Amino acid sequence: MTGITGQDGSYLADLLLEKGYEVHGMVRRASTETFQRLEHIRDDLVLHTGDLLDQRSLGDVLRACNPHEIYNLAAMSFVAASWSQPVLTAEFTGAGVTRMLEAMREAAPDARFYQASSSEMFGKVLEVPQRESTPFYPRSPYGVAKCYGHFITVNYRESYDLFACSGILFNHESPRRGLEFVTRKVTHAAAAIKLGLADELALGNLDAERDWGYARDYVEAMWLMLQQDEPDDFVIATGEAHSVRELVDVAFERVGLDPERYVRLDPSFLRPAEVEHLIGDYAKAHEKLGWRPQTGFRELIELMVDSDLEQLGRGVPRKQSG
Protein backbone atom coordinates (compact mmCIF):
# COMPACT_ATOMS: atom_id res chain seq x y z
CA MET A 1 0.00 0.00 0.00
CA THR A 2 1.28 3.45 -0.86
CA GLY A 3 0.05 6.40 1.18
CA ILE A 4 -0.22 4.27 4.32
CA THR A 5 0.60 7.22 6.61
CA GLY A 6 -2.39 9.20 5.30
CA GLN A 7 -6.01 9.22 6.41
CA ASP A 8 -7.22 6.55 3.99
CA GLY A 9 -4.09 4.44 4.36
CA SER A 10 -4.46 4.22 8.12
CA TYR A 11 -8.13 3.23 7.95
CA LEU A 12 -7.44 0.71 5.16
CA ALA A 13 -4.58 -0.77 7.19
CA ASP A 14 -6.99 -1.13 10.14
CA LEU A 15 -9.52 -2.91 7.92
CA LEU A 16 -7.01 -5.27 6.30
CA LEU A 17 -5.46 -6.22 9.64
CA GLU A 18 -8.94 -6.99 10.96
CA LYS A 19 -9.41 -9.30 7.97
CA GLY A 20 -6.17 -11.15 8.72
CA TYR A 21 -3.96 -9.63 6.03
CA GLU A 22 -0.23 -9.15 6.34
CA VAL A 23 -0.06 -5.43 5.59
CA HIS A 24 2.94 -3.86 3.87
CA GLY A 25 3.23 -0.11 3.44
CA MET A 26 5.59 2.02 1.36
CA VAL A 27 6.95 5.24 2.86
CA ARG A 28 9.39 7.84 1.58
CA ARG A 29 12.72 8.04 3.38
CA ALA A 30 12.63 11.85 3.41
CA SER A 31 8.94 12.05 4.24
CA THR A 32 7.89 14.81 6.58
CA GLU A 33 4.82 12.73 7.38
CA THR A 34 4.71 11.34 10.86
CA PHE A 35 3.38 7.91 11.72
CA GLN A 36 0.87 9.46 14.08
CA ARG A 37 -2.14 7.84 12.39
CA LEU A 38 -0.45 4.42 12.58
CA GLU A 39 0.74 4.49 16.19
CA HIS A 40 -1.94 2.04 17.34
CA ILE A 41 -0.95 -0.57 14.70
CA ARG A 42 2.69 0.30 14.02
CA ASP A 43 4.00 -3.04 15.33
CA ASP A 44 1.58 -4.96 13.06
CA LEU A 45 2.81 -3.40 9.81
CA VAL A 46 5.77 -4.12 7.52
CA LEU A 47 7.09 -0.84 6.13
CA HIS A 48 9.31 -0.46 3.06
CA THR A 49 11.18 2.57 1.78
CA GLY A 50 10.20 3.66 -1.73
CA ASP A 51 9.16 6.68 -3.74
CA LEU A 52 6.60 7.20 -6.49
CA LEU A 53 9.19 9.32 -8.29
CA ASP A 54 11.71 6.46 -8.37
CA GLN A 55 10.79 3.58 -10.69
CA ARG A 56 13.41 1.17 -9.41
CA SER A 57 12.39 1.53 -5.78
CA LEU A 58 8.81 0.55 -6.65
CA GLY A 59 9.89 -2.68 -8.32
CA ASP A 60 12.18 -3.46 -5.38
CA VAL A 61 9.33 -2.97 -2.90
CA LEU A 62 6.93 -5.17 -4.91
CA ARG A 63 9.50 -7.95 -5.21
CA ALA A 64 10.20 -7.72 -1.48
CA CYS A 65 6.58 -8.16 -0.41
CA ASN A 66 5.11 -10.18 -3.35
CA PRO A 67 1.64 -8.66 -2.88
CA HIS A 68 -1.76 -10.14 -3.65
CA GLU A 69 -3.38 -6.70 -3.56
CA ILE A 70 -1.84 -3.29 -4.26
CA TYR A 71 -3.55 -0.10 -3.10
CA ASN A 72 -2.11 3.09 -4.61
CA LEU A 73 -3.29 5.81 -2.24
CA ALA A 74 -0.26 8.09 -2.34
CA ALA A 75 -0.62 11.46 -4.07
CA MET A 76 -0.23 15.18 -3.57
CA SER A 77 -3.62 15.00 -1.94
CA PHE A 78 -4.32 18.61 -1.01
CA VAL A 79 -6.06 20.28 -3.96
CA ALA A 80 -5.13 23.85 -2.99
CA ALA A 81 -1.41 22.98 -2.87
CA SER A 82 -1.57 21.68 -6.43
CA TRP A 83 -1.81 25.27 -7.65
CA SER A 84 1.54 26.17 -6.11
CA GLN A 85 3.24 22.88 -7.08
CA PRO A 86 1.59 21.84 -10.35
CA VAL A 87 4.56 19.98 -11.86
CA LEU A 88 5.29 18.01 -8.71
CA THR A 89 1.58 17.20 -8.48
CA ALA A 90 1.70 15.82 -12.02
CA GLU A 91 4.74 13.69 -11.15
CA PHE A 92 3.28 12.14 -7.99
CA THR A 93 -0.42 12.01 -8.78
CA GLY A 94 -0.21 11.30 -12.52
CA ALA A 95 3.10 9.79 -13.61
CA GLY A 96 3.48 8.04 -10.25
CA VAL A 97 0.52 5.82 -11.13
CA THR A 98 2.24 4.77 -14.36
CA ARG A 99 5.38 3.89 -12.42
CA MET A 100 3.34 1.77 -9.99
CA LEU A 101 1.54 -0.05 -12.82
CA GLU A 102 4.77 -0.62 -14.70
CA ALA A 103 6.40 -2.02 -11.55
CA MET A 104 3.37 -4.25 -11.01
CA ARG A 105 3.47 -5.47 -14.62
CA GLU A 106 7.11 -6.50 -14.19
CA ALA A 107 7.22 -7.68 -10.58
CA ALA A 108 3.66 -8.69 -9.55
CA PRO A 109 1.45 -9.11 -12.65
CA ASP A 110 -0.98 -11.43 -10.87
CA ALA A 111 -1.70 -8.96 -8.08
CA ARG A 112 -4.86 -6.86 -7.96
CA PHE A 113 -4.41 -3.08 -8.22
CA TYR A 114 -6.53 -0.30 -6.75
CA GLN A 115 -6.07 3.28 -7.94
CA ALA A 116 -7.38 6.14 -5.82
CA SER A 117 -9.23 8.26 -8.36
CA SER A 118 -11.09 11.39 -7.27
CA SER A 119 -14.32 13.32 -7.70
CA GLU A 120 -12.07 16.32 -8.49
CA MET A 121 -11.78 14.77 -11.97
CA PHE A 122 -15.38 15.86 -12.61
CA GLY A 123 -14.51 19.47 -11.73
CA LYS A 124 -16.82 21.72 -13.73
CA VAL A 125 -19.51 19.11 -13.69
CA LEU A 126 -21.33 18.22 -16.90
CA GLU A 127 -24.21 16.44 -15.17
CA VAL A 128 -25.62 16.14 -11.66
CA PRO A 129 -25.22 13.75 -9.98
CA GLN A 130 -21.93 12.39 -11.31
CA ARG A 131 -21.59 8.70 -12.15
CA GLU A 132 -18.98 6.48 -13.78
CA SER A 133 -20.03 7.59 -17.27
CA THR A 134 -19.94 11.35 -16.55
CA PRO A 135 -17.25 13.11 -18.63
CA PHE A 136 -14.34 14.58 -16.70
CA TYR A 137 -13.67 18.34 -16.68
CA PRO A 138 -11.00 18.89 -14.00
CA ARG A 139 -10.52 22.39 -12.55
CA SER A 140 -7.20 22.07 -10.73
CA PRO A 141 -3.74 20.63 -11.45
CA TYR A 142 -4.65 17.92 -8.93
CA GLY A 143 -7.82 17.02 -10.83
CA VAL A 144 -5.95 16.95 -14.15
CA ALA A 145 -3.26 14.67 -12.68
CA LYS A 146 -5.93 12.37 -11.23
CA CYS A 147 -7.51 12.08 -14.69
CA TYR A 148 -4.19 10.90 -16.07
CA GLY A 149 -3.82 8.38 -13.24
CA HIS A 150 -7.35 7.14 -13.84
CA PHE A 151 -6.99 6.64 -17.58
CA ILE A 152 -3.53 5.08 -17.39
CA THR A 153 -5.07 2.52 -15.00
CA VAL A 154 -7.79 1.77 -17.56
CA ASN A 155 -5.12 1.60 -20.27
CA TYR A 156 -2.98 -0.94 -18.40
CA ARG A 157 -6.07 -3.02 -17.58
CA GLU A 158 -7.08 -3.18 -21.23
CA SER A 159 -3.56 -3.44 -22.70
CA TYR A 160 -1.95 -5.93 -20.34
CA ASP A 161 -4.96 -7.76 -18.88
CA LEU A 162 -4.09 -6.62 -15.37
CA PHE A 163 -6.67 -6.66 -12.58
CA ALA A 164 -6.64 -2.88 -12.14
CA CYS A 165 -9.54 -0.78 -10.96
CA SER A 166 -10.22 2.75 -9.80
CA GLY A 167 -12.41 4.07 -7.03
CA ILE A 168 -13.73 7.52 -7.91
CA LEU A 169 -14.10 8.64 -4.32
CA PHE A 170 -15.93 11.81 -3.42
CA ASN A 171 -14.75 13.81 -0.42
CA HIS A 172 -14.31 11.60 2.62
CA GLU A 173 -13.39 12.89 6.03
CA SER A 174 -12.63 11.71 9.56
CA PRO A 175 -10.91 12.72 12.79
CA ARG A 176 -7.69 11.62 11.03
CA ARG A 177 -8.12 14.23 8.27
CA GLY A 178 -5.31 16.77 7.94
CA LEU A 179 -5.91 20.22 9.41
CA GLU A 180 -5.50 21.87 5.99
CA PHE A 181 -8.76 20.29 4.72
CA VAL A 182 -11.84 22.42 5.22
CA THR A 183 -13.86 19.87 7.22
CA ARG A 184 -11.13 19.31 9.81
CA LYS A 185 -10.22 22.99 9.77
CA VAL A 186 -13.80 23.80 10.77
CA THR A 187 -14.26 21.07 13.40
CA HIS A 188 -10.87 21.81 14.95
CA ALA A 189 -11.61 25.55 15.06
CA ALA A 190 -15.04 25.02 16.62
CA ALA A 191 -13.46 22.88 19.34
CA ALA A 192 -10.58 25.33 19.86
CA ILE A 193 -12.92 28.33 20.16
CA LYS A 194 -15.12 26.42 22.60
CA LEU A 195 -12.07 25.65 24.75
CA GLY A 196 -10.80 29.24 24.63
CA LEU A 197 -7.80 28.33 22.47
CA ALA A 198 -8.84 30.39 19.42
CA ASP A 199 -11.16 33.30 18.73
CA GLU A 200 -11.98 33.13 15.01
CA LEU A 201 -12.14 30.96 11.91
CA ALA A 202 -11.21 32.31 8.46
CA LEU A 203 -12.77 30.60 5.44
CA GLY A 204 -13.14 31.12 1.69
CA ASN A 205 -16.23 30.15 -0.32
CA LEU A 206 -19.01 29.22 2.12
CA ASP A 207 -21.35 28.30 -0.73
CA ALA A 208 -19.14 25.58 -2.23
CA GLU A 209 -20.90 22.23 -1.93
CA ARG A 210 -19.38 18.81 -1.55
CA ASP A 211 -20.55 15.23 -1.18
CA TRP A 212 -18.89 14.39 2.15
CA GLY A 213 -18.65 10.83 3.50
CA TYR A 214 -16.74 9.02 6.24
CA ALA A 215 -13.31 7.66 5.28
CA ARG A 216 -13.81 4.53 7.40
CA ASP A 217 -16.83 3.62 5.25
CA TYR A 218 -15.00 4.36 2.00
CA VAL A 219 -11.96 2.13 2.53
CA GLU A 220 -14.31 -0.85 2.73
CA ALA A 221 -15.41 -0.02 -0.83
CA MET A 222 -11.75 -0.08 -1.93
CA TRP A 223 -11.34 -3.57 -0.51
CA LEU A 224 -14.60 -4.79 -2.06
CA MET A 225 -13.48 -3.68 -5.54
CA LEU A 226 -10.50 -6.04 -5.36
CA GLN A 227 -12.68 -9.00 -4.31
CA GLN A 228 -14.75 -9.02 -7.52
CA ASP A 229 -14.43 -11.46 -10.42
CA GLU A 230 -13.65 -8.67 -12.90
CA PRO A 231 -11.93 -5.31 -12.43
CA ASP A 232 -14.11 -2.23 -12.83
CA ASP A 233 -14.36 1.42 -11.78
CA PHE A 234 -16.81 2.72 -9.20
CA VAL A 235 -18.07 6.04 -7.88
CA ILE A 236 -18.06 6.03 -4.08
CA ALA A 237 -20.19 8.79 -2.56
CA THR A 238 -23.19 9.52 -0.32
CA GLY A 239 -25.47 11.03 -2.96
CA GLU A 240 -25.98 14.13 -0.81
CA ALA A 241 -24.35 17.55 -1.20
CA HIS A 242 -23.77 19.94 1.68
CA SER A 243 -22.29 23.43 1.67
CA VAL A 244 -19.35 24.68 3.70
CA ARG A 245 -21.91 26.90 5.46
CA GLU A 246 -23.86 23.81 6.60
CA LEU A 247 -20.60 22.24 7.76
CA VAL A 248 -19.88 25.32 9.87
CA ASP A 249 -23.41 25.38 11.29
CA VAL A 250 -23.33 21.72 12.37
CA ALA A 251 -19.86 22.00 13.90
CA PHE A 252 -20.61 25.14 15.90
CA GLU A 253 -24.02 23.85 16.96
CA ARG A 254 -22.23 20.81 18.39
CA VAL A 255 -20.22 23.07 20.73
CA GLY A 256 -23.13 25.41 21.45
CA LEU A 257 -21.72 28.50 19.71
CA ASP A 258 -23.09 30.96 17.13
CA PRO A 259 -20.79 30.77 14.07
CA GLU A 260 -21.63 34.31 12.96
CA ARG A 261 -19.67 35.63 15.95
CA TYR A 262 -16.50 33.77 15.00
CA VAL A 263 -16.35 33.05 11.25
CA ARG A 264 -14.93 35.60 8.82
CA LEU A 265 -14.42 35.44 5.06
CA ASP A 266 -10.87 35.57 3.75
CA PRO A 267 -10.54 36.07 -0.04
CA SER A 268 -7.06 34.51 0.04
CA PHE A 269 -8.72 31.10 0.50
CA LEU A 270 -10.66 31.39 -2.77
CA ARG A 271 -9.31 29.17 -5.56
CA PRO A 272 -8.51 30.33 -9.11
CA ALA A 273 -11.18 27.94 -10.40
CA GLU A 274 -13.76 26.61 -7.97
CA VAL A 275 -15.69 23.35 -8.18
CA GLU A 276 -19.30 24.02 -7.28
CA HIS A 277 -21.63 21.03 -7.57
CA LEU A 278 -19.95 17.74 -6.75
CA ILE A 279 -22.49 15.07 -5.83
CA GLY A 280 -22.00 11.38 -6.56
CA ASP A 281 -24.30 8.55 -7.62
CA TYR A 282 -23.09 5.35 -5.93
CA ALA A 283 -25.81 3.13 -7.49
CA LYS A 284 -23.31 0.93 -9.36
CA ALA A 285 -21.26 0.32 -6.19
CA HIS A 286 -24.43 -0.58 -4.33
CA GLU A 287 -25.58 -2.95 -7.06
CA LYS A 288 -22.29 -4.72 -7.78
CA LEU A 289 -20.35 -4.40 -4.51
CA GLY A 290 -23.24 -4.33 -2.06
CA TRP A 291 -21.75 -1.11 -0.66
CA ARG A 292 -23.52 1.88 0.77
CA PRO A 293 -22.41 4.70 3.10
CA GLN A 294 -23.09 3.97 6.76
CA THR A 295 -22.46 7.40 8.27
CA GLY A 296 -24.54 10.52 7.63
CA PHE A 297 -23.22 14.08 7.26
CA ARG A 298 -24.30 15.37 10.67
CA GLU A 299 -23.03 12.24 12.43
CA LEU A 300 -19.66 12.56 10.67
CA ILE A 301 -19.15 16.23 11.56
CA GLU A 302 -20.23 15.67 15.16
CA LEU A 303 -17.84 12.76 15.67
CA MET A 304 -15.03 14.93 14.22
CA VAL A 305 -15.89 17.81 16.57
CA ASP A 306 -16.03 15.43 19.53
CA SER A 307 -12.64 14.00 18.62
CA ASP A 308 -11.11 17.49 18.34
CA LEU A 309 -12.62 18.50 21.67
CA GLU A 310 -11.06 15.43 23.27
CA GLN A 311 -7.65 15.96 21.66
CA LEU A 312 -7.47 19.68 22.39
CA GLY A 313 -8.99 19.28 25.84
CA ARG A 314 -6.11 17.14 27.05
CA GLY A 315 -3.88 20.18 27.12
CA VAL A 316 -6.41 22.67 28.48
CA PRO A 317 -6.40 23.68 32.17
CA ARG A 318 -9.51 22.39 33.90
CA LYS A 319 -10.93 25.85 34.53
CA GLN A 320 -10.98 26.57 30.77
CA SER A 321 -12.52 23.31 29.64
CA GLY A 322 -15.86 24.18 31.18
Side-chain angles (χ1 to χ4, degrees):
M1 181 195 314
T2 69
I4 194 169
T5 59
Q7 169 190 256
D8 293 9
S10 66
Y11 279 117
L12 181 59
D14 286 340
L15 177 72
L16 295 176
L17 288 170
E18 287 167 17
K19 294 183 178 296
Y21 281 65
E22 180 178 291
V23 178
H24 294 247
M26 190 184 84
V27 295
R28 281 181 292 152
R29 186 181 300 281
S31 178
T32 54
E33 290 255 31
T34 68
F35 296 103
Q36 184 180 348
R37 297 183 180 97
L38 302 175
E39 280 176 7
H40 62 296
I41 54 172
R42 179 66 183 82
D43 293 340
D44 300 320
L45 304 171
V46 183
L47 297 182
H48 304 261
T49 300
D51 196 313
L52 283 179
L53 303 186
D54 178 33
Q55 181 72 48
R56 177 165 180 173
S57 72
L58 301 182
D60 289 346
V61 169
L62 291 187
R63 279 185 284 271
C65 57
N66 190 25
H68 295 97
E69 297 173 6
I70 300 168
Y71 296 88
N72 185 41
L73 309 185
M76 295 277 286
S77 62
F78 185 43
V79 176
S82 76
W83 293 103
S84 58
Q85 295 181 298
V87 177
L88 190 59
T89 297
E91 282 288 349
F92 272 115
T93 308
V97 185
T98 315
R99 295 188 192 100
M100 279 298 299
L101 287 163
E102 193 62 14
M104 172 189 173
R105 188 168 75 88
E106 293 175 355
D110 295 326
R112 297 186 166 203
F113 180 85
Y114 171 85
Q115 165 60 14
S117 287
S118 168
S119 59
E120 289 288 327
M121 300 187 307
F122 294 122
K124 188 175 181 179
V125 300
L126 300 178
E127 65 176 349
V128 180
Q130 294 90 53
R131 48 186 64 89
E132 293 79 6
S133 57
T134 303
F136 298 141
Y137 193 150
R139 299 269 278 171
S140 68
Y142 173 81
V144 173
K146 279 291 187 183
C147 284
Y148 178 92
H150 179 84
F151 280 121
I152 201 69
T153 301
V154 172
N155 187 252
Y156 268 65
R157 175 171 73 214
E158 295 177 351
S159 301
Y160 300 116
D161 197 29
L162 298 178
F163 193 109
C165 46
S166 293
I168 307 173
L169 271 57
F170 280 65
N171 293 62
H172 44 290
E173 317 299 320
S174 76
R176 299 182 192 175
R177 195 53 143 157
L179 287 170
E180 68 272 23
F181 291 86
V182 68
T183 45
R184 184 76 196 291
K185 180 178 178 179
V186 169
T187 63
H188 189 268
I193 292 169
K194 178 65 175 179
L195 295 173
L197 301 172
D199 51 20
E200 70 170 15
L201 167 62
L203 292 171
N205 183 7
L206 292 180
D207 296 318
E209 293 188 343
R210 291 291 184 273
D211 182 328
W212 277 302
Y214 185 19
R216 190 192 293 274
D217 294 345
Y218 284 32
V219 297
E220 184 179 6
M222 299 176 186
W223 176 79
L224 284 168
M225 289 179 212
L226 297 197
Q227 314 314 310
Q228 305 307 303
D229 292 335
E230 298 293 331
D232 205 348
D233 305 323
F234 295 90
V235 163
I236 303 299
T238 70
E240 296 179 10
H242 297 274
S243 67
V244 176
R245 195 181 305 278
E246 289 177 79
L247 161 64
V248 169
D249 288 344
V250 172
F252 277 79
E253 181 184 323
R254 185 65 170 177
V255 295
L257 296 175
D258 178 2
E260 294 202 1
R261 291 183 55 195
Y262 304 99
V263 176
R264 68 174 177 84
L265 297 183
D266 185 339
S268 71
F269 290 121
L270 297 175
R271 294 178 185 169
E274 182 57 88
V275 174
E276 297 286 353
H277 299 293
L278 285 178
I279 176 169
D281 178 357
Y282 67 91
K284 179 178 171 182
H286 180 55
E287 177 191 344
K288 296 195 172 182
L289 305 178
W291 181 89
R292 59 158 43 113
Q294 302 296 318
T295 311
F297 175 72
R298 176 174 288 274
E299 182 185 353
L300 168 64
I301 302 309
E302 289 180 348
L303 73 85
M304 290 176 68
V305 172
D306 292 350
S307 172
D308 281 324
L309 280 170
E310 181 187 350
Q311 285 186 41
L312 288 169
R314 290 179 198 141
V316 177
R318 191 172 296 278
K319 63 181 174 55
Q320 281 190 298
S321 63

